[in-house]
Amino acid sequence: MQQQAGASTASPEEAPVVLEVRGLSKSFDTNNVLRDISLKVHKAETLCLLGPSGSGKSTLLRCMNWLEEPNGGMVLLNGHPVGVCPGGSLRMSDKDLAAMRTRIGMVFQHFALWPHMTVLQNVMEAPVHVLKQDKAEARTTAETLLRRVGLGDKMDRFPARLSGGQKQRVGIARSLAMKPDVILFDEPTSSLDPELVGEVLTVMQDLAREGMTMVVVTHEMSFARDVASRVVFMDAGQIVETAPPDRFFATPETDRARQFLMRYAARNN
């Protein structure tokens, strides 16, 4: 077993809570996608959300930054409500919600880059127009981040000339440019050819090692096993099991988690 990249000598639960979900529920018409979800994400933790397709993982992630509006419950960032005003009775204004979202990074499954902008411009755009950074400062930061994710030689290219793995690394750099408190990753490798998956996971592993707080929806079991601080296993819109990765993968406590891991192992043998 490898040392977990995001692990430290202290328990993750001893660190401050960055993101908290309390009693979250979400329905689409009569389909109850999330049912009374509660969890805490601590500073410098890499929390991996695992579970079968349709279990509610991506919906939970999108509710964390109110890209999907929950039907019930609360999301808190550093103790402050997301999407609703203090007290939870009134919806936050679009302006206040947008300001809150600047603290919650998001890396999407399908990249979501601006096709008419170069790689460098994609990374600079939000810091300049949302954070009102000076363009020279934003450019310096963007160049540093692009070199950090291994794209220092691609800054002037347009997204159409990049591989999927390169596009996703631009997405990570773009998120980091906003200096978020937490980054949400929605199956960041699911759209990539198998040979490109590793280059994205390596960047994410480096971020975990450096102490970036991350919530990752993934089907990459090796990443969850080796990098996660904790694993949260979901099924049918509920949290079924939460455990450190070594315990979850070696001795899962629930029958549903054991079935999931057995099926995954069978597909990959």
Side-chain angles (χ1 to χ4, degrees), residues 65-131:
N65 64 1
W66 268 57
L67 288 177
E68 293 288 354
E69 184 172 339
N71 297 115
M74 291 190 70
V75 179
L76 298 103
L77 179 69
N78 297 318
H80 301 288
V82 177
V84 294
C85 300
S89 57
L90 295 174
R91 190 187 190 281
M92 188 176 280
S93 70
D94 289 344
K95 180 179 178 180
D96 289 343
L97 179 56
M100 184 73 78
R101 284 197 185 117
T102 66
R103 312 306 311 155
I104 306 174
M106 185 83 177
V107 176
F108 296 92
Q109 180 176 343
H110 296 291
F111 321 128
L113 301 180
W114 297 104
H116 62 288
M117 293 183 180
T118 66
V119 165
L120 183 64
Q121 290 168 337
N122 264 279
V123 178
M124 289 177 58
E125 178 72 4
V128 169
H129 293 285
V130 178
L131 299 184

